[in-house]
Amino acid sequence: ESAEDVAAYLNTHKSVSKVYYPGLKTHAGHDIARRQQKGFGAMLSLDLGNQAAAQHFVEHLTLFAFAESLGGYESLAAHPATMTHASMDKEAQEKAGITEGLIRLSIGLESPEDLIRDLEQALNRLSVQTAA
């Protein structure tokens, strides 16, 4: 449920170009996920457009730990292009949907309101940096 709240928030933010979460009705696999699953899970991804934005964003998160492992009880963030998929060349990354602006989030047990506030402050810093 927390991941659904986070995904819905991110889906409305102007700095986020795309949110990947099957719980969103706009997700290509939403209908099949709704039929086959009891919930939509705690993993989601967002695309911020480029690596500089992604790096700036994760540097300003305070509740999310920046880590390659996405299976803990705490909320985690990862940048697949430079972490889990770094050994792939750019063409293979693109084919797999791994862009330079892609961030993966694993939503943990923290309050969704606290997580959204953390994401919001990091995204707002990104908006200020882009405007400067």
Side-chain angles (χ1 to χ4, degrees):
E1 291 172 0
S2 295
E4 290 180 42
D5 292 345
V6 168
Y9 164 74
L10 291 170
N11 204 37
T12 66
H13 200 283
K14 64 183 178 191
S15 294
V16 178
S17 59
K18 181 93 174 144
V19 177
Y20 300 93
Y21 183 68
L24 293 173
K25 291 180 181 174
T26 55
H27 187 276
H30 175 75
D31 288 335
I32 199 165
R34 185 179 45 77
R35 288 192 309 270
Q36 293 181 346
Q37 301 169 197
K38 288 187 177 189
F40 298 106
M43 299 289 298
L44 62 107
S45 298
L46 63 142
D47 199 318
L48 297 173
N50 60 62
Q51 186 167 341
Q55 181 176 349
H56 188 79
F57 173 74
V58 296
E59 286 173 356
H60 290 93
L61 291 171
T62 58
L63 292 179
F64 287 81
F66 191 53
E68 283 195 33
S69 170
L70 295 173
Y73 60 85
E74 71 279 357
S75 293
L76 304 170
H79 184 245
T82 60
M83 296 170 81
T84 56
H85 294 73
S87 64
M88 297 170 72
D89 62 40
K90 291 293 179 201
E91 184 178 322
Q93 284 184 356
E94 287 177 18
K95 188 174 181 181
I98 307 298
T99 66
E100 290 185 355
L102 187 72
I103 300 292
R104 286 195 174 146
L105 300 177
S106 175
I107 306 302
L109 300 178
E110 302 89 350
S111 157
E113 294 82 11
D114 290 343
L115 295 174
I116 289 170
R117 268 193 298 277
D118 188 31
L119 294 164
E120 182 174 40
Q121 65 81 25
L123 287 168
N124 288 344
R125 287 176 183 248
L126 180 62
S127 298
V128 169
Q129 180 206 23
T130 304

